């Protein structure tokens, strides 16, 4: 009887070791199959929780890779980080670290920094001095030479609209437009709708 139990323990260990080696070699489908076979064939073996952890780590790694292919770099980074945090002993740690760096690099490469080249406020119904004072008092960040942020454009529109309403132009509306003015520059135009 002891010989049979010993054979089962050896067989389970062989499956686990084979699966780990397959993970290290990047043969994830084979690794998953070895771990699943261990779990199904030897459900009481002490290696079963480790085999399940290996399968979950493989799933996370594949999910991260899929997100990379979809161009969802933030999500891929998060997935790889989860793998590293939850399964720090996984043989996939090195690949996950490399993939996480690749996702971060790809995300950064896609982030284009736009700069406001000019802000045209000539048709909002206010004098240039009034606009300057208004933007300074209300801390409006929209200005030529600064980073373009659509929230700043919306803030400027809201401030101009509110000011006009406060000074007798109730119902006045301001339209905004941002036009590309070069590879990394934007011209912003605010116009009063008559």
């Amino acid at each position: 009887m002891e010989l049979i139990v010993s054979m089962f323990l050896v067989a389970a260990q062989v499956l686990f070791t084979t699966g780990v080696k397959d993970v290290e070699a990047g043969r994830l489908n084979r690794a998953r199959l070895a771990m699943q076979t261990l779990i199904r064939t030897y459900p009481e073996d002490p290696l079963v929780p480790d085999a399940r952890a290996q399968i979950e780590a493989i799933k996370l790694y594949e999910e991260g890779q899929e997100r990379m292919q979809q161009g969802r770099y933030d999500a891929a980074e998060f997935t790889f980080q989860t793998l590293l945090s939850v399964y720090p002993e996984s043989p996939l740690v090195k690949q996950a670290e490399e993939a996480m760096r690749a996702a971060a690099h790809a995300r950064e490469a896609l982030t284009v920094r736009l700069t406001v080249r000019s802000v045209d406020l000539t048709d909002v119904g206010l004098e240039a001095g009034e606009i300057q004072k208004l933007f300074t008092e209300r801390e409006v960040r929209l200005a030529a030479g600064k980073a373009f942020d659509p929230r700043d454009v919306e803030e400027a529109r809201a401030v101009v609209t509110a000011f006009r309403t406060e000074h007798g132009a109730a119902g006045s509306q301001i339209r905004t437009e941002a036009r590309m003015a070069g590879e990394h520059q934007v011209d912003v135009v605010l116009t009063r709708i008559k």
Side-chain angles (χ1 to χ4, degrees), residues 161-177:
T161 301
F163 184 82
R164 288 184 47 77
T165 300
E166 291 166 10
H167 291 87
S172 179
Q173 294 182 9
I174 303 294
R175 181 181 69 217
T176 62
E177 185 178 356

Side-chain angles (χ1 to χ4, degrees), residues 53-105:
Q54 293 298 326
I55 291 171
E56 290 304 313
I58 290 168
K59 284 180 185 176
L60 279 171
Y61 184 77
E62 290 175 333
E63 184 179 321
Q65 291 294 336
E66 183 178 320
R67 289 175 173 177
M68 283 282 288
Q69 290 173 350
Q70 295 168 345
R72 298 171 53 211
Y73 303 118
D74 284 339
E77 252 185 292
F78 178 78
T79 304
F80 294 128
Q81 182 59 52
T82 301
L83 188 157
L84 295 170
S85 299
V86 177
Y87 305 106
E89 302 300 319
S90 170
L92 282 170
V93 164
K94 186 183 245 180
Q95 294 98 311
E97 287 172 341
E98 290 171 11
M100 191 169 75
R101 281 192 294 274
H105 181 70

Side-chain angles (χ1 to χ4, degrees), residues 19 22-23 26-36 58 62:
D22 284 336
V23 168
R27 298 184 298 261
L28 301 183
N29 287 333
R30 282 180 55 171
R32 183 184 298 106
L33 182 60
M35 298 299 175
Q36 289 170 335
I58 290 168
E62 290 175 333

Side-chain angles (χ1 to χ4, degrees), residues 2-17 38 42 44-47:
E2 286 182 31
L3 180 60
I4 294 172
V5 171
S6 179
M7 285 175 38
F8 282 143
L9 291 175
V10 169
Q13 182 64 53
V14 167
L15 282 168
F16 187 79
T17 303
L38 187 159
Y42 309 104
E44 302 301 317
D45 192 277
L47 288 171

Side-chain angles (χ1 to χ4, degrees), residues 114-186:
L114 297 175
T115 303
V116 176
R117 186 179 77 168
S118 67
V119 179
D120 182 352
L121 299 160
T122 55
D123 194 28
V124 294
L126 300 173
E127 297 294 322
E130 273 183 310
I131 294 169
Q132 180 72 30
K133 182 180 176 195
L134 178 64
F135 279 16
T136 301
E137 288 173 355
R138 305 220 182 154
E139 299 177 0
V140 174
R141 292 179 299 270
L142 179 65
K146 292 197 174 183
F148 173 73
D149 186 334
R151 294 172 295 194
D152 295 343
V153 176
E154 175 54 29
E155 177 186 33
R157 187 202 61 75
V159 165
V160 170
T161 301
F163 184 82
R164 288 184 47 77
T165 300
E166 291 166 10
H167 291 87
S172 179
Q173 294 182 9
I174 303 294
R175 181 181 69 217
T176 62
E177 185 178 356
R179 303 176 190 147
M180 289 304 293
E183 190 173 341
H184 298 287
Q185 293 185 316
V186 177

